[in-house]
Amino acid sequence: MSFWKNVIKSLFEDEVDSADSFVLLETTQGDENKTVPEDLLKNKNVYPSLDVNLEYINARFNSLINSDIKIREFLIHVRNKEYKAFLLYIDGMSDNDSINEFILKPLMLRNDANTYQEDQVISQAITNNISVRKVKKFNITDYILDSLLPQNDVEKVNSFDTISDDVVSGNCVLFVDTLDYAFDISTKKFETRSISEPKNEPIIRGSQEAFVENLRTNTSMIRRNLSNENLVIENLTVGKIDKNKCAVCYLKNIANNDLVAEVKYRINNIDVDYCSSVGELEQFIKDDITSTLPEAVSTERVDRAVSYLLQGRVVIVYNGCPYVLVVPITVFDFLKSQEDININHVAANLLKIIRAISVLLTLLLPGFYIAITTYHSELLPTDLLFSIVASRSSVPFMIIVEILIMEISFEIIREAGLRVPSNLGNTVGIVGTLILGQAAVEANIVSPILVIIVAITGITSFSVLDFSFSFHLRIARFVYTILGALSGFLGIAVGLFIHIAILCSLKSFGVPYLTPYAPINVKSKSKYLLKPAWKREYRDEWLATKRPKAQDEISLKWRKNKNV
Amino acid sequence: MNSDKLNAIEATFLVIIVTLAHIILNLPNTILSSVGSSAIINVLYISFLIFIFFLIINKLFSSFPGKDILDVSEYVGGKTLKIITNILYTLSLTFTCGILILDFSEMLKLIYFPDAVVPFIVGIFLLTAIIVNKIGFKNVVKVNTLIVFVALIAVVIVFAASFSHVDFQRIFPIMGKGINETFFSGILNIYAFAGLIYLYLIKPNLRNEKDYKKVGIASIILSSLYLLLSVASLLFLFPFLTTGTETLSVYMSTRAIKLGKFFERTDALFILVWIFAFLSYLSVIISYLTKINKKVWNAKHSSPIIYIIALLTLIATLIPTNSTQIRFIEDHIYKYLSLFVVFVYSFLILLIGYLKKNNYMAKRRKTRKSIVKINN
């Protein structure tokens, strides 16, 4: 009863989508450093007061929300005197054992080095049982360097910029009260398992590093590739029983605040017992929950995730999964490869056009074939038409049945090839495509031209980079095939029209799916085709970033300077 | 931000789709039949007239910021006139839209689906429009923008590809059937710009109201240009005496296109684009009528109105019983109905509204002056 009630309700009532309420609006520019007091920012050097330094570091590294920025406050014992101090480092990029054993232990625990000895006393007076000792003067900096830090590589630094650069590259920095400089200690050690090459997103030129299953390793890989203190990695928990961790990464001075807040809001409001993977997480946070289209890019490439971060997008790392999610996206992101930015823009654009053609062929080729051969045969040259008719003459099935047999067989072979152990995968492919295909043609079950059509469709589908997007195309292809069989171009046009309307209605975290083409924005700087590397001046305007410009107007200053 | 607001390009393409749908059907043919080889001059002439007409509308609308013709009707004659205007718009648009879809479906049946029944093809069109409208008004506009762009390119391709068969001699006699037909009785061809009906409705939906003039001028220029291209390709390809045949005018031009030896008949590809254009046209009409009816009747949901509008369109398709009646309705009833609604009724409402408002403002100024005088 409730089913029919829902059907009638959906027929006569307008859908109110709560996700519609979030639209990525223009950003409030210039607020990227609001958390840092302005007078603090003016000074670029270390303060003598530890509390001020701590406040500065908290603000600069967003340590209150940044899950991997670690600040350890403690007391240093120097010749029986106690000084307040703190240690700054990034979890996952520094060697914890080294920090514990060779920095914290010598500084905190009483030992021969930090307690005074009798020979350091110059004079001593005792009055009313109070002993007053005058000890030799000593330099605390030299003392810490010489006696308390048994490390091979320690430097005195007083610029916050240098400190920041070194911390994000894996060093730890020691701040001591009353000192207007800090100790930069080399403790680099990246948490890794043997990081492998990307299996599903290989490229020729560029990084060959892929994410692994461990969350902290993945965040450290992002940190290593993006050395900037504005990179914020916030830890959130998903699931009530299996409290799995996920990290929301963004550049605080670039990403839109509303976007970051929306991502965190959605992840924080998933009321489930468990979420097993990043793929499942994507389904929990997407705008249109009924759509088969993905609304986030899933990538295993560290460099790709980093370039998205630099554009102002948000990357979601999920513990236990070697893929990360990138939001928001447009449909054109599924046609981008990391290779595109590594090669000349002309070659990249050629590849992009080929990918777009591949998508169209994957989607429409079987539908078009059936529509043309059944309803619009005048489109074909007479000789070709004769050869198609001749090749089909001995096939006993209707053309739609023939094409469905082939398509379903192809999908079965693909699925089997994926699921069997990798050694057998190739064999299944060879047996399935070559032997069975040839046998089917010889047995007059299918026509040779159809084998060519299905093979082209299959090959073009492999040029679609995103796994989930490719699934959508595969589902839609069956629909277009049936529509083409039912009413030729009319059916395909109807299908495409509704399909485009659905695409137009989709949003990924407030960004329309077909941006910048629907809604059309002729002034948009981010079109489908790439500009030369030196002319990519602006970030995608639909991301409403805090730093719309990514390059200066004249980025190749060396050329200009030479001409002058 | 109201997501239903349109930018200038979206609004322009909303106006153009109506003209485009008529161009695909028999509009160029009708113009050629009425004025002969002076069709190009006639198109330029009516384009100029429509441009002037729009400038007048723009001036009249300037007194009603953020208002459409329904609001102006309410201002002129209260709620009753608003409802009358709404009913007139709804009936005229559903009627003309229904006839156009019927005509196009008849053509499709004739060319590709000889065994199909026309109501079935009409049903496919209406069902698609309902589904797309259920997805939302703004999405209809977005799809329309993409499709109009493709359709406009297709018209240019038709003209460019058939250029090798063009015979410029066919422009003679330059005055066609005579000066009287070209400039006096030919003035009625101004109905070709019936798409301007949207300019009476679109103002409150514009993201930036200052774009209104830009939208009007751009849509008139583009519509004129494409009408000119279609008329020219038909005129230069075929002797105008043969254009009385009852098939899609632009389709006839596509039949002349040959892309090498391999593609000798590409017309089916253009039919695909025309189907898109008609689906878009139908969806736009239904979505706009839904929008204004929702506003007038203060309805909570759009869906029931979408069904009613689709039903009215379906009823309109059932009125003519044969192709002759369709042709008669298209060439005469549609022509005069459009002329009445767009160029007489709406214009009069706007003019009266403008005068009433001016009168009211003058009175107000007078009263203010007298108050100031008394105070002094």
Side-chain angles (χ1 to χ4, degrees), chain A residues 376-480:
Chain A
H376 313 284
S377 47
E378 77 279 1
L379 260 175
L380 297 171
T382 319
D383 294 343
L384 182 62
L385 189 63
F386 276 144
S387 100
I388 291 173
V389 172
S391 70
R392 288 213 70 252
S393 59
S394 49
V395 178
F397 302 114
M398 282 165 67
I399 195 160
I400 177 72
V401 178
E402 190 188 359
I403 211 162
L404 285 178
I405 287 173
M406 279 304 286
E407 284 288 349
I408 292 168
S409 309
F410 185 79
E411 292 298 330
I412 291 169
I413 292 164
R414 174 147 52 178
E415 187 63 13
L418 275 176
R419 304 298 159 215
V420 295
S422 56
N423 298 341
L424 286 175
N426 293 337
T427 321
V428 171
I430 291 164
V431 170
T433 48
L434 292 178
I435 300 172
L436 276 181
Q438 198 175 349
V441 171
E442 280 174 11
N444 288 330
I445 295 171
V446 291
S447 58
I449 188 93
L450 194 69
V451 176
I452 297 172
I453 296 288
V454 174
I456 292 173
T457 313
I459 291 165
T460 51
S461 73
F462 291 124
S463 68
V464 179
L465 305 167
D466 193 276
F467 188 61
S468 315
F469 187 58
S470 152
F471 264 119
H472 170 78
L473 296 179
R474 280 155 72 182
I475 295 165
R477 188 168 68 218
F478 281 102
V479 178
Y480 283 114

Side-chain angles (χ1 to χ4, degrees), chain A residues 9-16 23 25-26 368 375-376 378-382 384 486-494 496-498 500-502 504-507 512 514 517-522, chain B residues 1 3 7 9-10 108 112-113 121 124-125 128-129 131-132 134-135 138-139 142-143 145-147 207 261-269 272 275-276 279-280 283 294 300-304 307:
Chain A
K9 210 176 169 185
S10 67
L11 277 174
F12 289 96
E13 286 186 8
D14 300 342
E15 274 182 35
V16 183
V23 178
L25 292 173
E26 294 78 27
F368 263 91
Y375 296 94
H376 313 284
E378 77 279 1
L379 260 175
L380 297 171
T382 319
L384 182 62
L486 284 177
S487 50
F489 280 176
L490 175 64
I492 290 176
V494 164
L496 267 177
F497 192 73
I498 296 171
I500 297 171
I502 291 169
C504 286
S505 70
L506 289 180
K507 277 180 187 164
L514 292 179
Y517 300 100
I520 194 153
N521 180 6
V522 279
Chain B
M1 189 179 78
S3 59
N7 64 35
I9 296 175
E10 288 170 339
L108 283 178
Y112 293 117
F113 309 107
I121 301 174
I124 291 177
F125 275 102
T128 311
I131 293 169
V132 171
K134 288 274 288 174
I135 297 172
K138 183 70 193 187
N139 300 314
K142 284 183 195 170
V143 179
T145 311
L146 295 174
I147 282 168
R207 195 173 293 162
K261 237 184 163 183
F262 198 80
F263 290 111
E264 291 186 349
R265 288 280 307 275
T266 52
D267 39 289
L269 288 176
L272 183 69
I275 294 170
F276 275 128
L279 284 169
S280 193
S283 306
K294 194 179 172 190
K300 192 181 171 190
H301 296 290
S302 307
S303 300
Y307 301 140

Side-chain angles (χ1 to χ4, degrees), chain B residues 161-181:
Chain B
S162 57
F163 202 75
S164 55
H165 305 283
V166 159
D167 180 3
F168 288 106
Q169 290 291 322
R170 289 192 180 122
I171 201 171
F172 298 111
I174 196 104
M175 276 302 149
K177 290 184 177 175
I179 291 179
N180 184 41
E181 277 75 8

Side-chain angles (χ1 to χ4, degrees), chain A residues 45 68 88 121 129 139 142 155 169 177 201 205 242 256 399 424 470 518:
Chain A
N45 292 331
D68 60 347
L88 169 72
V121 180
N129 287 336
N139 185 323
D142 294 340
E155 269 180 52
S169 64
D177 201 11
E201 295 174 76
R205 290 169 73 178
D242 172 28
N256 185 295
I399 195 160
L424 286 175
S470 152

